[in-house]
Amino acid sequence: MIVLKCLPTNDFLVKRYISVDPFYNRCSLAQELIHHLLRDCSKASQVWHALNFNFQNTQDQLDNSTWLHENATGGHGTLFAITCWWLWKSRNLYIFKDHDWTL
């Protein structure tokens, strides 16, 4: 779903005229794009840091699809995929159930 750019982030929903606010609810600092939600947001960065996860390439040089593919197929692909899923799930819990995490 992510590679096809159809994950219902706020940015995606605004482009489809379903929502009016493209910002990420958790931090309100940037548009809720896939790379912000899963990688660039301070909350996501805390998770990756706590896991001592080292990305295979410099994040800024990769588009979303390449970043996801290279990390999901790398040596820690399972950990990477589970963490992305957990970040998406925690985002939904925050939006729909007002549940936030602390590290």
Side-chain angles (χ1 to χ4, degrees), residues 43-78:
K43 290 277 194 176
S45 295
Q46 289 175 7
V47 172
W48 294 117
H49 181 73
L51 293 172
N52 199 25
F53 197 93
N54 296 316
F55 294 117
Q56 292 180 5
N57 289 313
T58 305
Q59 300 165 18
D60 297 333
Q61 297 174 354
L62 302 174
D63 62 58
N64 294 331
S65 297
T66 304
W67 178 76
L68 288 165
H69 181 268
E70 288 190 7
N71 286 291
T73 58
H76 298 287
T78 303

Short mmCIF file of all heavy atoms in Angstrom, two decimals, residues 43-78:
data_model
loop_
_atom_site.label_atom_id
_atom_site.label_comp_id
_atom_site.label_asym_id
_atom_site.label_seq_id
_atom_site.Cartn_x
_atom_site.Cartn_y
_atom_site.Cartn_z
N LYS A 43 8.84 11.65 16.92
CA LYS A 43 8.35 10.43 17.58
C LYS A 43 8.90 9.19 16.88
O LYS A 43 9.34 8.25 17.54
CB LYS A 43 6.82 10.39 17.57
CG LYS A 43 6.18 11.39 18.47
CD LYS A 43 6.14 10.87 19.88
CE LYS A 43 5.20 11.69 20.73
NZ LYS A 43 5.08 11.15 22.07
N ALA A 44 8.87 9.17 15.56
CA ALA A 44 9.40 8.03 14.81
C ALA A 44 10.91 7.92 15.02
O ALA A 44 11.44 6.82 15.22
CB ALA A 44 9.08 8.17 13.33
N SER A 45 11.59 9.05 15.01
CA SER A 45 13.04 9.03 15.22
C SER A 45 13.40 8.45 16.58
O SER A 45 14.39 7.73 16.71
CB SER A 45 13.61 10.45 15.11
OG SER A 45 13.46 10.94 13.81
N GLN A 46 12.60 8.75 17.61
CA GLN A 46 12.82 8.19 18.94
C GLN A 46 12.73 6.67 18.91
O GLN A 46 13.52 5.97 19.55
CB GLN A 46 11.81 8.74 19.93
CG GLN A 46 12.01 10.17 20.31
CD GLN A 46 10.89 10.67 21.22
OE1 GLN A 46 10.04 9.92 21.67
NE2 GLN A 46 10.87 11.97 21.46
N VAL A 47 11.76 6.16 18.17
CA VAL A 47 11.58 4.70 18.09
C VAL A 47 12.78 4.07 17.40
O VAL A 47 13.36 3.10 17.90
CB VAL A 47 10.27 4.35 17.34
CG1 VAL A 47 10.18 2.86 17.08
CG2 VAL A 47 9.07 4.83 18.14
N TRP A 48 13.17 4.62 16.24
CA TRP A 48 14.31 4.06 15.51
C TRP A 48 15.58 4.13 16.36
O TRP A 48 16.38 3.19 16.38
CB TRP A 48 14.52 4.78 14.18
CG TRP A 48 13.40 4.58 13.21
CD1 TRP A 48 12.58 5.55 12.70
CD2 TRP A 48 12.95 3.35 12.62
NE1 TRP A 48 11.66 4.99 11.85
CE2 TRP A 48 11.87 3.64 11.78
CE3 TRP A 48 13.37 2.02 12.74
CZ2 TRP A 48 11.20 2.67 11.05
CZ3 TRP A 48 12.71 1.05 12.01
CH2 TRP A 48 11.64 1.37 11.18
N HIS A 49 15.77 5.23 17.07
CA HIS A 49 16.95 5.38 17.94
C HIS A 49 16.92 4.36 19.08
O HIS A 49 17.94 3.75 19.40
CB HIS A 49 17.02 6.81 18.48
CG HIS A 49 18.21 7.05 19.34
ND1 HIS A 49 19.48 7.16 18.83
CD2 HIS A 49 18.33 7.20 20.68
CE1 HIS A 49 20.34 7.35 19.82
NE2 HIS A 49 19.66 7.38 20.96
N ALA A 50 15.75 4.17 19.70
CA ALA A 50 15.63 3.21 20.80
C ALA A 50 15.95 1.79 20.33
O ALA A 50 16.47 0.98 21.10
CB ALA A 50 14.22 3.27 21.40
N LEU A 51 15.64 1.50 19.08
CA LEU A 51 15.93 0.18 18.51
C LEU A 51 17.36 0.07 18.00
O LEU A 51 17.78 -0.99 17.54
CB LEU A 51 14.97 -0.13 17.37
CG LEU A 51 13.51 -0.32 17.75
CD1 LEU A 51 12.65 -0.42 16.50
CD2 LEU A 51 13.35 -1.56 18.62
N ASN A 52 18.10 1.18 18.08
CA ASN A 52 19.46 1.24 17.56
C ASN A 52 19.51 0.81 16.10
O ASN A 52 20.37 0.06 15.68
CB ASN A 52 20.41 0.38 18.42
CG ASN A 52 21.85 0.76 18.22
OD1 ASN A 52 22.16 1.88 17.84
ND2 ASN A 52 22.74 -0.19 18.47
N PHE A 53 18.53 1.30 15.35
CA PHE A 53 18.40 0.93 13.95
C PHE A 53 19.22 1.87 13.08
O PHE A 53 19.06 3.08 13.15
CB PHE A 53 16.93 0.98 13.52
CG PHE A 53 16.66 0.23 12.25
CD1 PHE A 53 16.26 -1.08 12.28
CD2 PHE A 53 16.82 0.85 11.02
CE1 PHE A 53 16.00 -1.78 11.12
CE2 PHE A 53 16.57 0.17 9.84
CZ PHE A 53 16.16 -1.14 9.90
N ASN A 54 20.10 1.32 12.29
CA ASN A 54 20.91 2.11 11.37
C ASN A 54 20.40 1.86 9.96
O ASN A 54 20.44 0.74 9.47
CB ASN A 54 22.38 1.71 11.47
CG ASN A 54 22.95 2.02 12.83
OD1 ASN A 54 22.71 3.09 13.36
ND2 ASN A 54 23.71 1.10 13.39
N PHE A 55 19.91 2.91 9.31
CA PHE A 55 19.41 2.77 7.97
C PHE A 55 20.55 2.47 7.01
O PHE A 55 21.67 2.93 7.20
CB PHE A 55 18.65 4.02 7.53
CG PHE A 55 17.40 4.24 8.32
CD1 PHE A 55 17.25 5.34 9.12
CD2 PHE A 55 16.37 3.31 8.28
CE1 PHE A 55 16.09 5.54 9.85
CE2 PHE A 55 15.21 3.48 9.02
CZ PHE A 55 15.08 4.61 9.81
N GLN A 56 20.23 1.72 5.95
CA GLN A 56 21.25 1.28 5.01
C GLN A 56 21.84 2.43 4.21
O GLN A 56 23.00 2.41 3.86
CB GLN A 56 20.68 0.24 4.05
CG GLN A 56 20.35 -1.05 4.75
CD GLN A 56 19.79 -2.08 3.79
OE1 GLN A 56 19.73 -1.85 2.59
NE2 GLN A 56 19.38 -3.21 4.31
N ASN A 57 21.06 3.42 3.90
CA ASN A 57 21.53 4.58 3.14
C ASN A 57 21.06 5.85 3.83
O ASN A 57 20.18 5.81 4.67
CB ASN A 57 20.99 4.56 1.71
CG ASN A 57 21.64 3.48 0.88
OD1 ASN A 57 22.84 3.33 0.88
ND2 ASN A 57 20.82 2.71 0.19
N THR A 58 21.63 6.96 3.43
CA THR A 58 21.19 8.24 3.98
C THR A 58 19.74 8.46 3.59
O THR A 58 19.39 8.44 2.43
CB THR A 58 22.06 9.39 3.44
OG1 THR A 58 23.42 9.09 3.74
CG2 THR A 58 21.68 10.71 4.07
N GLN A 59 18.89 8.70 4.57
CA GLN A 59 17.45 8.82 4.36
C GLN A 59 17.09 9.92 3.38
O GLN A 59 16.21 9.74 2.54
CB GLN A 59 16.77 9.11 5.68
CG GLN A 59 16.99 8.04 6.71
CD GLN A 59 16.61 8.53 8.08
OE1 GLN A 59 15.91 9.50 8.24
NE2 GLN A 59 17.07 7.84 9.10
N ASP A 60 17.74 11.05 3.46
CA ASP A 60 17.36 12.20 2.64
C ASP A 60 17.58 11.97 1.15
O ASP A 60 16.99 12.64 0.33
CB ASP A 60 18.14 13.44 3.08
CG ASP A 60 17.81 13.84 4.51
OD1 ASP A 60 16.70 13.53 4.98
OD2 ASP A 60 18.68 14.45 5.15
N GLN A 61 18.43 11.02 0.80
CA GLN A 61 18.75 10.79 -0.60
C GLN A 61 17.82 9.77 -1.26
O GLN A 61 17.93 9.52 -2.45
CB GLN A 61 20.19 10.31 -0.74
CG GLN A 61 21.19 11.35 -0.27
CD GLN A 61 22.60 10.81 -0.26
OE1 GLN A 61 22.85 9.65 -0.51
NE2 GLN A 61 23.55 11.68 0.02
N LEU A 62 16.92 9.19 -0.52
CA LEU A 62 16.07 8.13 -1.04
C LEU A 62 14.61 8.56 -1.11
O LEU A 62 14.11 9.21 -0.21
CB LEU A 62 16.16 6.88 -0.16
CG LEU A 62 17.55 6.27 0.02
CD1 LEU A 62 17.49 5.14 1.02
CD2 LEU A 62 18.09 5.77 -1.31
N ASP A 63 13.93 8.17 -2.18
CA ASP A 63 12.50 8.39 -2.20
C ASP A 63 11.84 7.34 -1.31
O ASP A 63 12.48 6.38 -0.87
CB ASP A 63 11.95 8.35 -3.64
CG ASP A 63 12.15 7.00 -4.30
OD1 ASP A 63 11.66 5.99 -3.75
OD2 ASP A 63 12.78 6.95 -5.37
N ASN A 64 10.56 7.51 -1.03
CA ASN A 64 9.86 6.61 -0.11
C ASN A 64 9.95 5.16 -0.52
O ASN A 64 10.25 4.28 0.30
CB ASN A 64 8.39 7.00 -0.01
CG ASN A 64 8.20 8.34 0.63
OD1 ASN A 64 9.00 8.77 1.45
ND2 ASN A 64 7.14 9.03 0.25
N SER A 65 9.70 4.86 -1.77
CA SER A 65 9.70 3.48 -2.25
C SER A 65 11.07 2.84 -2.09
O SER A 65 11.18 1.70 -1.63
CB SER A 65 9.27 3.40 -3.71
OG SER A 65 7.96 3.86 -3.85
N THR A 66 12.11 3.56 -2.47
CA THR A 66 13.46 3.02 -2.37
C THR A 66 13.86 2.83 -0.91
O THR A 66 14.42 1.79 -0.54
CB THR A 66 14.47 3.96 -3.07
OG1 THR A 66 14.04 4.16 -4.41
CG2 THR A 66 15.87 3.39 -3.04
N TRP A 67 13.55 3.81 -0.08
CA TRP A 67 13.87 3.72 1.35
C TRP A 67 13.19 2.50 1.97
O TRP A 67 13.82 1.72 2.69
CB TRP A 67 13.44 5.00 2.06
CG TRP A 67 13.68 5.00 3.53
CD1 TRP A 67 14.88 5.16 4.17
CD2 TRP A 67 12.70 4.83 4.55
NE1 TRP A 67 14.69 5.10 5.53
CE2 TRP A 67 13.36 4.90 5.79
CE3 TRP A 67 11.32 4.64 4.54
CZ2 TRP A 67 12.70 4.77 7.01
CZ3 TRP A 67 10.67 4.52 5.75
CH2 TRP A 67 11.35 4.58 6.96
N LEU A 68 11.92 2.34 1.69
CA LEU A 68 11.18 1.20 2.23
C LEU A 68 11.72 -0.12 1.71
O LEU A 68 11.96 -1.06 2.49
CB LEU A 68 9.69 1.32 1.89
CG LEU A 68 8.94 2.39 2.64
CD1 LEU A 68 7.59 2.67 1.97
CD2 LEU A 68 8.73 1.97 4.08
N HIS A 69 11.95 -0.21 0.41
CA HIS A 69 12.43 -1.46 -0.18
C HIS A 69 13.81 -1.85 0.34
O HIS A 69 14.03 -2.99 0.74
CB HIS A 69 12.46 -1.35 -1.71
CG HIS A 69 12.91 -2.61 -2.37
ND1 HIS A 69 14.23 -2.83 -2.68
CD2 HIS A 69 12.22 -3.71 -2.74
CE1 HIS A 69 14.34 -4.03 -3.23
NE2 HIS A 69 13.14 -4.58 -3.28
N GLU A 70 14.73 -0.90 0.34
CA GLU A 70 16.09 -1.22 0.76
C GLU A 70 16.16 -1.64 2.22
O GLU A 70 16.92 -2.53 2.58
CB GLU A 70 17.03 -0.06 0.48
CG GLU A 70 17.30 0.11 -1.00
CD GLU A 70 18.42 1.09 -1.30
OE1 GLU A 70 19.08 1.57 -0.34
OE2 GLU A 70 18.61 1.38 -2.48
N ASN A 71 15.38 -0.98 3.07
CA ASN A 71 15.42 -1.34 4.49
C ASN A 71 14.61 -2.59 4.79
O ASN A 71 14.97 -3.37 5.67
CB ASN A 71 14.96 -0.16 5.34
CG ASN A 71 16.03 0.91 5.39
OD1 ASN A 71 17.08 0.73 5.98
ND2 ASN A 71 15.79 2.01 4.70
N ALA A 72 13.53 -2.82 4.07
CA ALA A 72 12.71 -4.01 4.29
C ALA A 72 13.40 -5.28 3.78
O ALA A 72 13.13 -6.38 4.28
CB ALA A 72 11.35 -3.86 3.63
N THR A 73 14.28 -5.15 2.81
CA THR A 73 14.96 -6.32 2.27
C THR A 73 16.38 -6.46 2.80
O THR A 73 17.10 -7.38 2.41
CB THR A 73 15.00 -6.26 0.72
OG1 THR A 73 15.66 -5.06 0.32
CG2 THR A 73 13.60 -6.32 0.15
N GLY A 74 16.78 -5.57 3.68
CA GLY A 74 18.12 -5.62 4.25
C GLY A 74 18.22 -6.65 5.37
O GLY A 74 17.29 -7.43 5.63
N GLY A 75 19.33 -6.64 6.05
CA GLY A 75 19.61 -7.61 7.10
C GLY A 75 18.64 -7.56 8.27
O GLY A 75 18.43 -8.56 8.95
N HIS A 76 18.03 -6.42 8.52
CA HIS A 76 17.06 -6.27 9.61
C HIS A 76 15.68 -5.96 9.06
O HIS A 76 14.92 -5.19 9.65
CB HIS A 76 17.51 -5.17 10.57
CG HIS A 76 18.83 -5.45 11.23
ND1 HIS A 76 18.98 -6.39 12.21
CD2 HIS A 76 20.06 -4.93 11.00
CE1 HIS A 76 20.24 -6.44 12.59
NE2 HIS A 76 20.93 -5.57 11.86
N GLY A 77 15.35 -6.58 7.92
CA GLY A 77 14.10 -6.30 7.24
C GLY A 77 12.86 -6.58 8.06
O GLY A 77 11.89 -5.82 8.03
N THR A 78 12.88 -7.67 8.82
CA THR A 78 11.72 -8.01 9.63
C THR A 78 11.50 -6.97 10.71
O THR A 78 10.37 -6.50 10.92
CB THR A 78 11.87 -9.41 10.25
OG1 THR A 78 12.07 -10.35 9.20
CG2 THR A 78 10.67 -9.79 11.06
#
